Amino acid sequence: MTTLYTTKINNNLTQKFVPVDLHCHSIYSDGAFSVKDLLDLAKANGGKYIALTDHDTLSGIAEARVYANELGLNFIVGVEISVTWNSNLVHIIGLNVDENDTAFVRHLQDLQNGRINRGEKIAAKLAKLKIHGAFEGAMKYCSNPIALSRTHFIRFLSDNGYASTTSKAFDKYLAPGKPAYVAHEWASLENAINWITSSGGIAVIAHPCRYKFTRTKLLKLIADFKLYGGIGIEVVSSSHSLDDALSMAHIAKECGLLASIGSDFHNTTNNFSKAHVGINHPLPENCTPIYAEIGITL
Ligand code: AMP
Ligand code: MN
Ligand code: MN
Ligand code: MN
């Protein structure tokens, strides 16, 4: 039986939360918070179990583990890998991976190596739209240059009046098909899952509803994902509506996947989703939580 508790966040209505967060970001990738500030906030929100899942890097893990221990938070090693699947960008979460696995770390570094080059191409496209200085502008938001992300560009764009929110900046300039979009080849689905499982971890499909796939296409992704050894899918995510969570719970059960839960927290302001790091809305009753796989007992 899942333990629920209620809390008030930002003076909003009291809501039910579980103290588990298996997906969030720090300044080691495109989050706005340092590892310490992130974990302090998770603790203050009432979190108990937290995985740091920065994009394509394990660089923040050692620091996060030490500080989570200090705070008495249960820490789970995580990563969010960028994957190109049938020409679509898909994110795969690895949980319980080994940050000292040198082969894995090298693969992730290879994956990040293209980001600066892609960033220069994005900036060149923005310059054609008379938006100058975007590369340097985005870099100002980026503490770990190898992790330069579209998120850093949308912060630059919205803070400089090119869009009223980061989300609008993303949709206007940087989403696929938009004028500053630059296609990029990330890891293959097979490689990403192999790296995760070879490193002792488990693979989870991140925020499945964000991709806006048809049901048939999502089922095809899941079939490929399972074929390569993936076992989980995010059911509760800040990018999911309640209806999304219910339908993903149904798909998880139908496909024999374990249900995961993650805030995908990046920052507190100008976020494209309402997320509270460290805590999440509970999983629907009809799915099997991933908790036991990673030693979470609620
Ligand atoms: P990248 O890894 O550089 O391609 O950037 C992708 C990142 O952009 C994701 O990890 C999200 O943090 C962010 N993102 C994706 N979609 C949106 C959106 N609609 N609005 C704002 N940020 C987004
Ligand atoms: Mn991100
Ligand atoms: Mn993601
Ligand atoms: Mn994420």
Side-chain angles (χ1 to χ4, degrees):
M1 182 63 191
T2 306
T3 310
L4 295 181
Y5 74 102
T6 56
T7 188
K8 273 192 173 184
I9 298 284
N10 300 338
N11 291 324
N12 284 337
L13 287 176
T14 301
Q15 292 179 316
K16 283 185 169 29
F17 289 99
V18 282
V20 182
D21 192 355
L22 302 178
H23 184 162
C24 65
H25 298 275
S26 75
I27 54 172
Y28 281 95
S29 66
D30 62 349
F33 280 53
S34 69
V35 162
K36 283 197 166 176
D37 290 347
L38 183 77
L39 295 178
D40 279 340
L41 187 56
K43 173 92 179 174
N45 284 342
K48 287 188 184 148
Y49 292 91
I50 187 158
L52 177 67
T53 55
D54 274 313
H55 295 284
D56 309 316
T57 184
L58 291 160
S59 315
I61 296 298
E63 183 186 342
R65 176 186 284 113
V66 170
Y67 195 56
N69 279 344
E70 270 178 46
L71 292 178
L73 289 168
N74 295 286
F75 183 69
I76 295 133
V77 181
V79 65
E80 181 173 17
I81 303 184
S82 312
V83 160
T84 303
W85 174 76
N86 289 352
S87 306
N88 303 283
L89 173 66
V90 168
H91 283 171
I92 300 295
I93 299 281
L95 296 173
N96 257 359
V97 292
D98 176 5
E99 80 275 20
N100 296 314
D101 174 347
T102 48
F104 189 23
V105 168
R106 211 176 43 246
H107 290 311
L108 293 175
Q109 279 165 351
D110 288 346
L111 200 53
Q112 290 215 329
N113 275 340
R115 282 184 176 270
I116 292 283
N117 186 255
R118 181 188 64 152
E120 282 164 351
K121 289 183 188 157
I122 290 174
K125 287 195 162 189
L126 287 170
K128 284 196 179 143
L129 303 170
K130 302 206 180 335
I131 300 175
H132 297 288
F135 185 82
E136 298 72 20
M139 274 297 194
K140 285 196 185 137
Y141 296 84
C142 180
S143 321
N144 183 16
I146 196 174
L148 182 63
S149 158
R150 281 182 286 171
T151 307
H152 303 113
F153 280 94
I154 60 179
R155 288 189 191 143
F156 160 79
L157 289 167
S158 70
D159 284 355
N160 287 281
Y162 295 108
S164 54
T165 64
T166 50
S167 195
K168 284 187 180 147
F170 194 94
D171 293 342
K172 186 170 171 192
Y173 297 107
L174 291 172
K178 298 300 170 171
Y181 177 73
V182 173
H184 195 77
E185 192 68 23
W186 300 104
S188 70
L189 183 63
E190 182 173 13
N191 281 347
I193 297 171
N194 276 341
W195 299 339
I196 291 167
T197 48
S198 310
S199 180
I202 55 176
V204 175
I205 298 174
H207 42 63
C209 297
R210 173 105 68 79
Y211 312 126
K212 306 225 170 353
F213 290 170
T214 60
R215 182 183 156 81
T216 310
K217 192 164 170 184
L218 181 57
L219 290 175
K220 174 73 178 118
L221 169 66
I222 291 173
D224 286 357
F225 174 76
K226 286 183 69 176
L227 181 71
Y228 301 134
I231 64 165
I233 189 165
E234 281 183 354
V235 167
V236 167
S237 162
S238 64
S239 6
H240 287 176
S241 66
L242 179 60
D243 277 353
D244 289 339
L246 293 173
S247 86
M248 288 308 107
H250 191 75
I251 284 203
K253 190 162 181 66
E254 187 182 321
C255 298
L257 291 175
L258 299 172
S260 193
I261 184 164
S263 69
D264 201 4
F265 178 86
H266 287 73
N267 57 19
T268 45
T269 53
N270 231 350
N271 205 354
F272 69 101
S273 52
K274 284 256 173 293
H276 301 295
V277 66
I279 57 175
N280 280 284
H281 292 295
L283 287 165
E285 290 289 330
N286 64 333
C287 51
T288 308
I290 203 160
Y291 300 152
E293 290 290 322
I294 44 179
I296 295 179
T297 44
L298 289 180

